[in-house]
Amino acid sequence: MIGGPGPVMTIRGFGEDSDSTRQRVTPGTARRALPYARPYRWIIVVLLLLTSLGAVAQVASPLLLKTVIDEGIIPRDKGLVVWIALAVAGLALLEAILAFTETWLSGKISEGLVYDLRTQVFDHVQRQPIAFFTRTQTGSLVSRLNTDVVAAQQAVTTLLSQSVSSLLSLILVLGTMFYLSWQITLVALAALPLFLLPGRLVGRRLQGLMRESMQLNAEMGTLMHERFNVAGALLAKLYGRPDSEKRLFTDRAGRVRDIGVVTTVYSRMLLVSVTLLGALATAVVYGLGGVLVVDGSFQLGTLVALAVLLTRLFGPINQLSSMQASVMTALVSFDRLFEVLDLRPLIAQKPGAVALNGSRGAPEVEFDAVSFRYPRASEVSLASLQGYAAPAPERADDTLTLDGITFRAPAGTLTALVGPSGAGKTTITQLVPRLYDPVSGTVRIGGHDVRDLTFDCLRDTVGMVTQDAHLFHDTLRANLLYARPGAEERDLVEACRAAQIWDLIAALPDGLDTVVGDRGYRFSGGEKQRLAIARLLLKAPSIVVLDEATAHLDSESEAAIQRALKTALEGRTSLVIAHRLSTIRDADQILVVDAGRVVERGVHEELLEADGLYAELYRTQFTRQPARNGAVPTPGGPVYGDPNGAGLPPLEGMPPGGMMFPPMQGPPPMQGPPPGAPPMQGPPMQGPPPMQGPPMGPPPNGGPMPGGRPPQGSG
Ligand SMILES: Nc1ncnc2c1ncn2[C@@H]1O[C@H](COP(=O)(O)OP(=O)(O)OP(=O)(O)O)[C@@H](O)[C@H]1O
């Protein structure tokens, strides 16, 4: 959610959305919640026994009080007084032991429940497809795992520790009172329905308030989450204004405060009304009982015992009536958790899914008439997790993002995807590891429909490096081991070396134990991508899906990434969203994607010759700078660095192989001097600094491009 400049933007959050907050608890929620107590049934049985024993102890002490007054103090029997005093002390000790054991047992149950619910929800959420996460607010999701889980647990604990003991206390206290004085007990019983009324009335209101409060807390959490991660903080620093940011937060925190006040008032109202009723009933007992004692039809000890019993009668009633309210509010939390648990992952592993035979080398990737549209929010997520209430019902947009994509990427070859922005290149690559499923057509790996393969197999087979490679806020080592937990130190070093990042890591004081900042913000874009390549190399997948960085990199990083990629793609079936000249030149096939379709396909020269979209893209994307003297690379003409064009001079204005940028004004920089030329002193004039790494110019012998793709089978 974004706070606009100036006055706080009106945000249609869930606080104002009646549907999501006033919604009643789904019928059957309580029945569904009960099985969560099943694993603890034996502890629950012991707990119930102990609480029942506690209830008996509660009734025993007023009876001892009556005995000590009527049979010990008034008849002056010192021996009996001492014995009863000892019994009271023993009873107090027993109650203390019971209370301690009950707390321990109920703690075991409640924390166990929190653990069970959290792990279940976490596991369920992590199985959701990527579309779920693109639609969901992280803060709201985290709130479900924190606040709702705890609220749900509190209800179960309250129910367990209070329900049986309160009910038993009520019965025992009433029975004892009846035995002592049926008249006074009848008066107390007459007041009983009054005690249940506030719980019933306030409980409903509390339920609504609870749901709203949870949602407002989640909104506040989301805001903090969004603003305090590095990307959000950066955006806020660059575009946000501290005052409007503060106002936005103050607004949300204010709503949390307001609802907190109302909730407290309602909860307190419940307690106060029950206490008031209790006090009124006690007054009746004092009045009625006192008159009976004065009349001599009642003993003093009995009146004292009745007064004490009465306080123990209202305690359980109070608990029972507030329990009703707390269970009702807690059902809201269970309901909100079940809502998440009921969300069936749109992409799931098929029963009987198979794994590929890993020993057969890199498999082929095939798209067969694949069409795709991004799932609608309602298909993958929950309105209450998306943070905004949709202003209107979601538009049914059935426009296809991909329309009938068909191609084969033969085993061990490089397929480059090029096309205008928004054409669908990333979408195509996301169908290979099943981040999404097509709406029609089939994506195959090694001849198998990807929907028939196990998730483990897909994870092992397909490695993906995105432009903005994510790193966890942990050590470099932990980030690398995430791809292959069992990797040894030398494997890590080797992968880092191959990814051209080892020198940098070795130079850090803590080496591999350096902690990466939030989302890898400690490293530059180029460094992060090389770390991601190292992670990919550790995983050693047989299919590589790569989105080349579009960012301008200095020539050194560019060359380093290129070398890293050379290793990463070697001997693997690769699908690369190409932004580099060297990639499209070295590609075994280029697919030109436009508006969700493959509009051209072939190799570089063929496509240039066809003078279609590719030739246009080539001129605009790959050779941005107008050439010297206004010349542009000639479609179909000789290509600098082309193995077949050995010895041909570079096209004017075109950077040497592997370099998309920068534009050249002078002769192409070379790492080494051209054959026969005197060694170059200093950087070349007017051009970018000389490249480190593989020479960027055409090889003198007309062989394959250095830094480019090795000949088939070399890996
Ligand atoms: N998660 C998503 N939900 C809905 N639509 C999406 C989603 N991701 C992408 N799109 C849309 O799908 C279309 C294709 O996007 P895609 O990212 O595949 O394009 P691209 O060719 O990779 O573009 P670029 O070169 O700019 O990265 C775009 O119109 C985009 O707006």
Side-chain angles (χ1 to χ4, degrees), residues 524-537:
S524 76
E527 287 162 357
K528 261 199 296 181
Q529 202 170 41
R530 277 180 282 156
L531 281 168
I533 293 171
R535 191 162 57 184
L536 178 99
L537 290 173

Side-chain angles (χ1 to χ4, degrees), residues 130-131 134-135 372-375 400-402 418-430 436 467 547 550 577 579 593 596 621:
I130 201 73
T134 61
R135 297 285 191 178
F372 173 79
R373 73 163 171 77
Y374 279 96
L400 290 172
T401 306
L402 299 180
V418 293
S421 180
K425 305 178 293 290
T426 310
T427 312
I428 292 178
T429 60
Q430 286 178 335
Y436 294 94
Q467 273 199 30
D547 194 352
T550 45
I577 300 174
H579 296 292
V593 186
Q621 273 193 17

Side-chain angles (χ1 to χ4, degrees), residues 113-238:
L113 265 173
V114 167
Y115 168 84
D116 295 344
L117 275 168
R118 262 194 197 139
T119 46
Q120 194 190 2
V121 177
F122 180 90
D123 189 44
H124 186 76
V125 167
Q126 67 153 351
R127 283 171 203 281
Q128 292 297 327
I130 201 73
F132 169 84
F133 297 95
T134 61
R135 297 285 191 178
T136 297
Q137 279 190 331
T138 319
S140 299
L141 201 54
V142 171
S143 159
R144 296 270 161 128
L145 278 140
N146 283 335
T147 328
D148 286 279
V149 163
V150 170
Q153 161 263 318
Q154 275 168 357
V156 176
T157 320
T158 312
L159 200 71
L160 286 176
S161 60
Q162 293 184 358
S163 61
V164 175
S165 73
S166 300
L167 209 63
L168 200 72
S169 294
L170 193 67
I171 295 166
L172 286 174
V173 169
L174 274 176
T176 317
M177 282 177 72
F178 211 81
Y179 161 73
L180 293 175
S181 162
W182 61 266
Q183 302 95 323
I184 289 180
T185 313
L186 281 185
V187 171
L189 270 179
L192 209 61
L194 289 177
F195 283 87
L196 299 176
L197 206 62
R200 195 162 272 281
L201 292 178
V202 176
R204 287 234 174 280
R205 179 73 187 114
L206 272 176
Q207 205 171 41
L209 285 169
M210 207 58 176
R211 194 183 278 274
E212 202 171 334
S213 161
M214 295 278 186
Q215 199 64 45
L216 289 173
N217 268 297
E219 275 181 28
M220 190 174 69
T222 298
L223 185 70
M224 289 192 264
H225 200 273
E226 290 210 321
R227 294 303 190 267
F228 295 162
N229 71 59
V230 182
L234 191 65
L235 195 65
K237 286 256 174 278
L238 296 175

Side-chain angles (χ1 to χ4, degrees), residues 213-426:
S213 161
M214 295 278 186
Q215 199 64 45
L216 289 173
N217 268 297
E219 275 181 28
M220 190 174 69
T222 298
L223 185 70
M224 289 192 264
H225 200 273
E226 290 210 321
R227 294 303 190 267
F228 295 162
N229 71 59
V230 182
L234 191 65
L235 195 65
K237 286 256 174 278
L238 296 175
Y239 291 93
R241 285 151 218 218
D243 283 345
S244 63
E245 287 294 313
K246 188 180 160 193
R247 267 201 301 277
L248 183 63
F249 185 76
T250 314
D251 174 53
R252 299 227 174 139
R255 281 154 65 191
V256 170
R257 173 202 57 203
D258 295 345
I259 198 142
V261 171
V262 179
T263 314
T264 313
V265 167
Y266 269 96
S267 317
R268 215 51 214 170
M269 203 193 300
L270 187 68
L271 194 71
V272 168
S273 50
V274 173
T275 312
L276 175 69
L277 284 169
L280 293 177
T282 312
V284 173
V285 170
Y286 282 166
L288 190 62
V291 170
L292 288 174
V293 172
V294 172
D295 282 351
S297 54
F298 223 60
Q299 282 184 301
L300 179 64
T302 311
L303 179 64
V304 173
L306 273 172
V308 175
L309 280 169
L310 209 59
T311 59
R312 299 196 174 185
L313 176 73
F314 298 134
I317 291 177
N318 200 351
Q319 277 176 355
L320 282 174
S321 64
S322 64
M323 195 163 58
Q324 188 190 10
S326 68
V327 168
M328 278 162 89
T329 56
L331 281 180
V332 172
S333 293
F334 266 113
D335 199 20
R336 281 163 55 90
L337 290 173
F338 290 152
E339 188 185 38
V340 178
L341 289 174
D342 286 343
L343 196 68
R344 293 263 300 271
L346 204 63
I347 297 178
Q349 183 171 300
K350 208 169 156 179
V354 293
L356 282 175
N357 184 349
S359 61
R360 291 211 188 133
E364 171 188 273
V365 174
E366 187 188 355
F367 275 58
D368 185 1
V370 170
S371 294
F372 173 79
R373 73 163 171 77
Y374 279 96
R376 282 187 279 276
S378 54
E379 293 172 290
V380 287
S381 188
L382 296 167
S384 55
L385 286 176
Q386 288 161 32
Y388 288 99
E394 207 182 352
R395 252 179 331 119
D397 181 7
D398 286 329
T399 319
L400 290 172
T401 306
L402 299 180
D403 190 359
I405 303 278
T406 300
F407 70 89
R408 271 183 64 229
T413 62
L414 166 60
T415 299
L417 298 170
V418 293
S421 180
K425 305 178 293 290
T426 310

Side-chain angles (χ1 to χ4, degrees), residues 26-27 35 38 77 91 115 138 241 245 260 278 292 309 489 524 569 581 584 616 706:
T26 316
R38 194 170 296 145
D77 182 348
L91 208 62
Y115 168 84
T138 319
R241 285 151 218 218
E245 287 294 313
L292 288 174
L309 280 169
E489 183 82 6
S524 76
L569 304 185
L581 196 60
I584 51 168
E616 193 188 316

